[in-house]
Amino acid sequence: MTRFKINRLISGGLITNYSCTSRCGHCLYNCGPFREKEYINGQSAEKYLSQIRELGCLSVHIGGGEPMLYPDKLGDVLEAADWAGVSVEYVETNASWFQDLESASEILRKLRHRGLKTFLVSISPFHNEYIPYTKTAGVINACRETGIHVFPWKDVFIKDITMLDTSKTHSIDEYINISGDGYLKKVLENYWIHLGGRALDTFRPVLPSWTIEEIIAGEESGCAEKLSETSHFHFDLFGNYIPGLCSGLLIRHEDISSPLSKEQYPVMTLLADSGVKGLLDFAEDRFGFVPGKQKYINKCDLCMEIRAFLVTNDVDFLELGPEGFYRQESTTR
């Protein structure tokens, strides 16, 4: 049996909250207004960031959800990072909080005093479904006013967005109507998006798919390498370590430096050892899982469906969560 543990962290982030003003179609973590309203406190942030540092990672980004839902609490996190000896590369924001240049600049001055140096300002058609571009541009201007560096992600979409009324939100269908049916594929070419979380259903109509037999036949080994990948990890506000890009799977922070036990982490150890085929057999034999689709985009798509089935059928596995990731309308655009 494959046993894996996390020995060293390379690059990652801290998720302050899952609540968000947007419900973006590409969100890996199924964030939105319906998610839990909790926000990490400074004490917990320092604890998790100290653990991150002990495991070799000296800098992180701060994301959500939307970290700027509570600017004062974000300030606590920035100070906690300083106390933990971890630098903050950038803080992500969708700019929904912008009201006017004066008030935004005042908020940013306070955060700069508490350690904010760089904002990653999200720019995409998915964000524009919920946030007018005038707010995005407003935050960028406020950053320039207050000496905060801006990391626009991604400015390649500004041309598309400014073709429309920038004072309003616009649906993805509007972009498709203007640019043609190939627009979603164009987005994938211009924007690094992991096909997990809500992105699976968003891009399903424009991507090739395969039968379960084809997916399993193409699976050369288990998922241990992906689960133990630490070049893009996250800790969340609840003390969960999210392995790699496997949203909806979690390891309690107390357990990440030890080999995972089959008893506590049956799904994770099964995936590590025998991949999605092992999880499929397990779910069919033990819980009566029946695949809901004829074809799937990739093995992560199938894995996600199996895990969602287990959670929604009240199979209580510690590693499947947070619960809000699964128990919401994330699969319907």
Side-chain angles (χ1 to χ4, degrees):
M1 174 176 290
T2 302
R3 300 294 296 276
F4 72 93
K5 64 178 182 178
I6 307 301
N7 294 312
R8 179 173 177 267
L9 298 178
I10 299 172
S11 178
L14 180 69
I15 295 174
T16 57
N17 58 321
Y18 287 109
S19 182
C20 187
T21 51
S22 304
R23 186 179 173 279
C24 293
H26 66 320
C27 184
L28 180 59
Y29 299 103
N30 286 345
C31 299
F34 43 82
R35 290 296 298 270
E36 49 274 84
K37 304 304 179 186
E38 291 95 331
Y39 196 102
I40 196 169
N41 60 47
Q43 184 178 9
S44 295
E46 184 180 2
K47 178 180 180 181
Y48 306 145
L49 289 167
S50 295
Q51 185 175 8
I52 287 170
R53 190 181 192 283
E54 289 170 3
L55 287 168
C57 183
L58 303 182
S59 63
V60 297
H61 61 269
I62 305 295
E66 174 48 53
M68 283 292 288
L69 286 178
Y70 304 99
D72 288 343
K73 293 182 179 181
L74 173 60
D76 294 340
V77 174
L78 293 168
E79 291 180 349
D82 186 46
W83 296 330
V86 175
S87 64
V88 176
E89 298 162 357
Y90 56 83
V91 174
E92 299 173 358
T93 184
N94 64 19
S96 60
W97 51 276
F98 181 85
Q99 297 299 320
D100 56 69
L101 183 61
E102 183 179 358
S103 62
S105 296
E106 180 61 23
I107 291 170
L108 294 185
R109 287 189 188 95
K110 291 178 180 178
L111 285 173
R112 185 183 180 192
H113 179 71
R114 302 185 74 181
L116 177 63
K117 296 178 181 178
T118 302
F119 251 148
L120 181 153
V121 181
S122 298
I123 303 172
S124 79
F126 298 116
H127 293 91
N128 192 223
E129 286 199 277
Y130 300 91
I131 301 157
Y133 183 70
T134 49
K135 285 182 175 284
T136 306
V139 167
I140 292 172
N141 288 334
C143 287
R144 289 170 179 161
E145 286 279 325
T146 54
I148 291 173
H149 181 66
V150 176
F151 177 16
W153 187 258
K154 290 189 68 175
D155 54 6
V156 69
F157 291 115
I158 293 176
K159 181 180 178 181
D160 294 353
I161 294 170
T162 54
M163 288 172 58
L164 301 169
D165 185 344
T166 57
S167 68
K168 297 179 180 179
T169 57
H170 301 281
S171 68
I172 292 295
D173 288 340
E174 288 181 74
Y175 286 97
I176 293 173
N177 289 339
I178 291 173
S179 302
D181 292 338
Y183 187 72
L184 280 177
K185 283 189 175 180
K186 176 187 170 184
V187 169
L188 278 176
E189 292 170 1
N190 290 314
Y191 199 8
W192 184 89
I193 295 173
H194 179 68
L195 292 173
R198 201 173 291 127
L200 288 167
D201 288 322
T202 296
F203 292 99
R204 192 180 305 283
V206 300
L207 292 176
S209 57
W210 289 268
T211 65
I212 289 178
E213 291 74 20
E214 289 170 327
I215 287 173
I216 290 173
E219 196 175 28
E220 297 180 358
S221 61
C223 300
E225 185 176 347
K226 288 189 175 181
L227 290 169
S228 58
E229 171 61 51
T230 66
S231 63
H232 194 97
F233 71 86
H234 284 87
F235 270 66
D236 75 4
L237 63 155
F238 302 120
N240 302 319
Y241 172 85
I242 302 166
L245 297 169
C246 297
S247 54
L249 285 174
L250 58 88
I251 302 170
R252 291 297 301 166
H253 71 94
E254 306 98 314
D255 298 332
I256 66 171
S257 297
S258 304
L260 298 188
S261 72
K262 182 179 178 181
E263 292 71 31
Q264 283 190 303
Y265 295 93
V267 171
M268 204 100 61
T269 52
L270 193 57
L271 284 170
D273 192 48
S274 52
V276 71
K277 182 184 185 305
L279 180 61
L280 175 64
D281 292 343
F282 173 73
E284 288 178 333
D285 295 344
R286 288 277 304 275
F287 302 103
F289 170 75
V290 176
K293 303 180 185 70
Q294 294 296 316
K295 292 187 174 184
Y296 295 82
I297 295 172
N298 53 29
K299 67 178 184 179
C300 300
D301 190 13
L302 176 58
C303 180
M304 174 72 180
E305 183 179 273
I306 297 169
R307 290 186 278 119
F309 167 84
L310 294 173
V311 172
T312 54
N313 283 275
D314 298 320
V315 178
D316 187 18
F317 287 156
L318 160 73
E319 62 207 305
L320 299 181
E323 190 172 352
F325 175 85
Y326 295 99
R327 294 188 185 274
Q328 39 96 5
E329 74 279 21
S330 64
T331 57
T332 304
R333 270 187 52 79

